[in-house]
Amino acid sequence: MRTSLLPLLALTISLPCAIAQTDASPAEQSLLQLANQARAAHNLSPLHWDSTLAHAARAHAKWVIHQPNELHQYPGEPDLMTRGAQAGAHFSTIAENIGGHADDPAALQQIWMTTPTHRANLLDPNLNAVGIAVIEDQGLLYAVEDFARSVPVPQSAEIETRVAQLLQQHGIAPAASNADARSTCEMPKGNAGSPKMVIQWDGPNPTLLPDVLLKQIATGNYTTAQVGACPSQQANQTFTLYHVAVLLY
């Protein structure tokens, strides 16, 4: 979206106040405080500062400051989702506000709050984190706000437990040990032990059971399962991926 008043853009992609902001400049802290004041006025929980999102925002702000137009992606630059993931952020949703040619943070915030797309990002109840970059050029401020719905990064044992619970809901009991499944998860090919069926998959949400597994369960040929989880070995990951191995017996 573009406006004639200020060159501002907003973009959203879906798939306690201001803590851990030691790497934020005074202008960036001001925008965070203004954002959370607006959210408080609408009975919304505050956004917490995310240093990884701030890193992504600053990388993009360097593009913005040297280009004639404010865009969410320039030629040769990764898209918003990839920038956030490559900076180390873990999220289910990511959104971005861009603005420039403002005298101070309050002026940027005022414009964002009076344009629908920017306002929607600032007041989105599903977003809980933000990283902000502000660059001054010839006395005017340019800013990038990267918002996200941050999600925790599960550990392998937690993933195994959650997958086993889902399998139990489908009538498949947990095996006495997950040792063979864990070994299988780490193997480049083949499997450990003597299961009737082995199903493996990669994904950012490893507890979403794949259709092929559900179809096998529906045959009624299996009563127990081992579950193993480990980091994915897929190349060029934009999100944290996990590999899951389910051995059916």
Side-chain angles (χ1 to χ4, degrees), residues 11 32 40 58-59 61 85 137 139 171 187 196:
L11 174 67
L32 176 62
R58 286 167 191 157
D137 184 60
M187 295 168 61
K196 293 181 178 179

Side-chain angles (χ1 to χ4, degrees), residues 95-112:
E96 187 171 71
N97 283 354
I98 301 175
H101 300 88
D103 293 326
D104 54 45
L108 280 171
Q109 176 71 5
Q110 181 180 7
I111 296 299
W112 281 336

Side-chain angles (χ1 to χ4, degrees), residues 40 46 148 201 211 219:
W201 70 94
D211 288 341
T219 66

Side-chain angles (χ1 to χ4, degrees), residues 82-139:
T82 302
R83 293 198 309 269
Q86 289 180 342
H90 300 279
F91 52 85
S92 58
T93 302
I94 189 166
E96 187 171 71
N97 283 354
I98 301 175
H101 300 88
D103 293 326
D104 54 45
L108 280 171
Q109 176 71 5
Q110 181 180 7
I111 296 299
W112 281 336
M113 284 298 292
T114 53
T115 53
T117 48
H118 304 100
R119 180 185 176 92
N121 284 340
L122 284 160
L123 300 182
D124 189 337
N126 294 315
L127 300 175
N128 60 12
V130 68
I132 304 171
V134 177
I135 296 178
E136 182 177 348
D137 184 60
Q138 298 181 0

